[in-house]
Amino acid sequence: MTSRDFLIAPSILSANFAKLGEEVANVIASGADWVHFDVMDNHYVPNLTIGPLVCEAIRPYTTAPIDVHLMVKPVDRIIPDFAKAGANIITFHPEASEHVDRSLGLIRDNGCQAGLVFNPATPLAYLDYVMDKLDVVLLMSVNPGFGGQSFIPNTLQKLAEARAKIDAYARETGRRIRLEIDGGVKVGNIAEIARAGADVFVAGSAVYGAGKDADPHRYDSIIADLRAELAKV
Ligand code: DX5
Ligand code: ZN
């Protein structure tokens, strides 16, 4: 795998919410690839964030893919709203949907790429019967709900297992599924996370924390540092 296969997806959870459009535009201008958009409902996870109205509001600020991570229960009602608000990728947690296959189909029927998210204690077995409906597999390396937590080391082994499943599927079908990692990704651990198999890296506090004292907020140097680590892989 070469470094150009790696995508960096800063989580706007750690951005300045009073300047969200500018923050999104700046982080993409600084070299990031996707906008990771964390949706929390104070029910599936113990925190409350942003919804389709905010997705619609930031959409004009970038042409980069908006990667909506739903931490809500139930999931189906809100999927078409995010598609209309300009989301490109929508992922959800299998425990939050009564019918995983149906929710994945609904995302694609609404014109978006679809993905499943695995909490640290959620088994990868959910993958086995829905690979054909997936564009992204997202492994949580923290328990969802908050930015700024530490990477759970066991996730490296789980990444390797997910990578093996995804590669076997790609050999059979020729179809590529992205393997995304979310939680505690920093300059100091991104290379070993890449070696374990991830190819999309969410980083919230590491990216947005780095530019918060600059004016205007720019993220060139932290994105370059993350890419320099990925280039070693
Ligand atoms: C956690 C969210 C993450 C979070 C990552 O529930 O899904 O996207 O914002 O933040 P850091 O990179 O600070 O762990
Ligand atoms: Zn997330």
Side-chain angles (χ1 to χ4, degrees), residues 43-120:
H43 171 67
Y44 180 66
V45 291
N47 200 358
L48 185 64
T49 59
I50 45 181
L53 285 174
V54 176
C55 186
E56 193 180 1
I58 65 166
R59 183 66 281 183
Y61 287 84
T62 184
T63 55
I66 299 181
D67 170 33
V68 172
H69 173 193
L70 294 180
M71 289 160 274
V72 305
K73 184 178 181 174
V75 299
D76 290 3
R77 228 298 294 137
I78 206 76
I79 286 169
D81 293 11
F82 273 105
K84 284 190 202 89
N88 301 90
I89 300 138
I90 301 179
T91 65
F92 66 92
H93 292 246
E95 301 91 338
S97 169
E98 299 292 348
H99 301 282
V100 169
D101 183 279
R102 179 186 288 159
S103 300
L104 290 169
L106 184 62
I107 293 171
R108 284 200 174 160
D109 288 349
N110 277 272
C112 296
Q113 295 195 351
L116 273 187
V117 191
F118 294 81
N119 284 334

Side-chain angles (χ1 to χ4, degrees), residues 11 13-14 36 38 40 69 71 140 142-149 182-186 202-206:
S11 165
L13 189 60
S14 296
H36 186 79
D38 284 310
M40 305 184 186
H69 173 193
M71 289 160 274
M140 293 306 300
V142 297
N143 286 291
F146 301 94
Q149 304 180 77
D182 185 1
V185 176
K186 312 270 173 218
V202 176
S205 50

Side-chain angles (χ1 to χ4, degrees), residues 1-221:
M1 192 180 283
T2 66
S3 58
R4 63 172 189 281
D5 287 315
F6 296 135
L7 301 177
I8 296 177
S11 165
I12 58 172
L13 189 60
S14 296
N16 181 342
F17 272 45
K19 300 181 173 175
L20 215 41
E22 203 182 306
E23 289 276 70
V24 163
N26 281 350
V27 89
I28 296 297
S30 302
D33 300 294
W34 289 2
V35 174
H36 186 79
F37 191 102
D38 284 310
V39 184
M40 305 184 186
D41 66 350
N42 188 37
H43 171 67
Y44 180 66
V45 291
N47 200 358
L48 185 64
T49 59
I50 45 181
L53 285 174
V54 176
C55 186
E56 193 180 1
I58 65 166
R59 183 66 281 183
Y61 287 84
T62 184
T63 55
I66 299 181
D67 170 33
V68 172
H69 173 193
L70 294 180
M71 289 160 274
V72 305
K73 184 178 181 174
V75 299
D76 290 3
R77 228 298 294 137
I78 206 76
I79 286 169
D81 293 11
F82 273 105
K84 284 190 202 89
N88 301 90
I89 300 138
I90 301 179
T91 65
F92 66 92
H93 292 246
E95 301 91 338
S97 169
E98 299 292 348
H99 301 282
V100 169
D101 183 279
R102 179 186 288 159
S103 300
L104 290 169
L106 184 62
I107 293 171
R108 284 200 174 160
D109 288 349
N110 277 272
C112 296
Q113 295 195 351
L116 273 187
V117 191
F118 294 81
N119 284 334
T122 303
L124 291 177
Y126 276 103
L127 286 178
D128 291 342
Y129 302 98
V130 294
M131 287 295 257
D132 59 322
K133 302 231 166 46
L134 293 176
D135 302 293
V136 176
V137 171
L138 172 49
L139 298 198
M140 293 306 300
S141 36
V142 297
N143 286 291
F146 301 94
Q149 304 180 77
S150 299
F151 186 90
I152 297 173
N154 277 347
T155 319
L156 293 174
Q157 172 62 28
K158 199 174 181 184
L159 270 173
E161 288 165 27
R163 171 51 61 199
K165 282 179 189 277
I166 286 171
D167 285 352
Y169 178 76
R171 279 194 298 275
E172 257 170 52
T173 64
R175 214 171 65 77
R176 178 174 194 178
I177 297 174
R178 285 280 181 186
L179 180 53
E180 185 172 14
I181 187 81
D182 185 1
V185 176
K186 312 270 173 218
V187 172
N189 62 12
I190 194 168
E192 66 173 338
I193 294 168
R195 277 185 209 105
D199 57 20
V200 182
F201 305 85
V202 176
S205 50
V207 170
Y208 279 104
K212 72 178 188 321
D213 296 327
D215 188 22
H217 294 181
R218 287 293 300 207
Y219 303 101
D220 309 72
S221 126

